[in-house]
Amino acid sequence: MMYAIAQNPGNGAAMIRMLFHDCFVEGCDASIFLDPTPFSPTPEKLSPPNDPSVRGFELIDAIKEAVEAACPGVVSCADILAFAARDASCILSKGTIAFDMPSGRRDGTFSNASEPLKFLVPPTSSLSALVNSFVVKGLDAEDLVILSGAHTIGRSHCSSFVSDRLQAPSDINGGLAWFLRSQCPADATRAGPYLYEAGCKMTLRGLYSHTIF
C-alpha cells in the first residue's frame, strides 16, 4: 500500500471506499469482487453505486497474487481488502490513525447488483435517511459522522456538487462556498474537472468495531 499510495494517493481512498461498499451491503465477504457468471450475471460490481465509480480492483488483484505466492490458499480476498483499507488510512493520516484489524473473514460466492441499491443510500439522501441506513446495520449517528469523515480523502467530479449545491441557495459558509466555486466551473460535466479534498481528519476505528464486519 505504501508503494501504491506513493504512485497515486487516490489508491488509498479507493481502498477505503471499496471496503465500505463491500461491508455495508451484506458484510465483509469480498462479494464486490465477483465478476458476472451464468449463475449471477449482474453482480454487485455492476450495480450503479459501484459501476463505474468504485476502483482499485487491479490493485487488489496484485496484492492477492503476492499473498498467494507467499502463502497459497490462506488469506481470503475479504481479509486482503480489510487490511489494505486499514493500511491506507494509516498511511494517508501519516500514522495518526492506527488500529488492530482482526482476520478470519470468508469470501462470499454470490453477488447481486440489487443488493447495493438496498443499503448504499445515494448522496442526495436526507439526514434522516442516512441515519436510518446506519441504524439498520446496528450503527448510530456517530458512526455516520465517522464514515462521512472518510470522504475528506480523495476527489470528486465537480458535476456532483455544482448544480444542486454550489449554484443553489444554501447556508454553506461563505468563504468555503467561494473557494469551491473557484475550483469548479458553473457548467461542470461528468467529464470535467475534479474537486480535490486534501484532508485526512477521519478515523475508521469506530466503524471497524461493529458487527457489519
Side-chain angles (χ1 to χ4, degrees):
M1 283 308 304
M2 291 183 68
Y3 175 79
I5 290 174
Q7 296 298 306
N8 179 3
N11 285 327
M15 294 298 99
I16 294 170
R17 183 166 187 259
M18 185 184 288
L19 179 65
F20 172 64
H21 278 234
D22 180 45
C23 297
F24 211 69
V25 176
E26 290 292 358
C28 301
D29 59 357
S31 55
I32 196 172
F33 296 147
L34 296 178
D35 291 318
T37 66
F39 177 61
S40 178
T42 54
E44 292 174 34
K45 181 184 289 188
L46 300 182
S47 186
N50 297 328
D51 183 31
S53 60
V54 171
R55 58 190 180 84
F57 296 106
E58 297 83 1
L59 177 55
I60 291 294
D61 288 342
I63 297 172
K64 176 66 172 176
E65 183 178 353
V67 170
E68 284 297 307
C71 48
V74 175
V75 185
S76 67
C77 291
D79 272 350
I80 286 175
L81 175 57
F83 296 150
R86 174 204 60 190
D87 293 351
S89 64
C90 182
I91 296 166
L92 290 171
S93 68
K94 295 180 171 57
T96 301
I97 301 166
F99 50 89
D100 293 332
M101 174 67 78
S103 61
R105 298 165 188 80
R106 294 185 177 182
D107 291 336
T109 58
F110 179 75
S111 181
N112 192 302
S114 65
E115 294 302 301
L117 295 171
K118 295 179 183 178
F119 300 105
L120 297 173
V121 294
T124 54
S125 299
S126 65
L127 177 59
S128 60
L130 291 170
V131 172
N132 288 338
S133 71
F134 272 61
V135 169
V136 169
K137 293 296 184 178
L139 305 172
D140 57 23
E142 180 179 356
D143 298 302
L144 171 61
V145 172
I146 291 170
L147 194 282
S148 298
H151 289 78
T152 61
I153 292 177
R155 64 186 187 177
S156 178
H157 289 276
C158 283
S159 58
S160 299
F161 295 90
V162 171
S163 61
D164 61 343
R165 303 185 190 186
L166 299 185
Q167 299 300 325
S170 73
D171 58 358
I172 187 173
N173 176 274
L176 176 60
W178 176 88
F179 171 76
L180 296 177
R181 289 176 183 130
S182 71
Q183 304 298 304
C184 293
D187 59 347
T189 64
R190 185 70 176 173
Y194 291 102
L195 180 65
Y196 283 83
E197 296 287 355
C200 291
K201 297 179 181 178
M202 53 61 168
T203 175
L204 302 182
R205 186 195 310 271
L207 196 58
Y208 286 140
S209 68
H210 290 80
T211 56
I212 62 168
F213 292 84

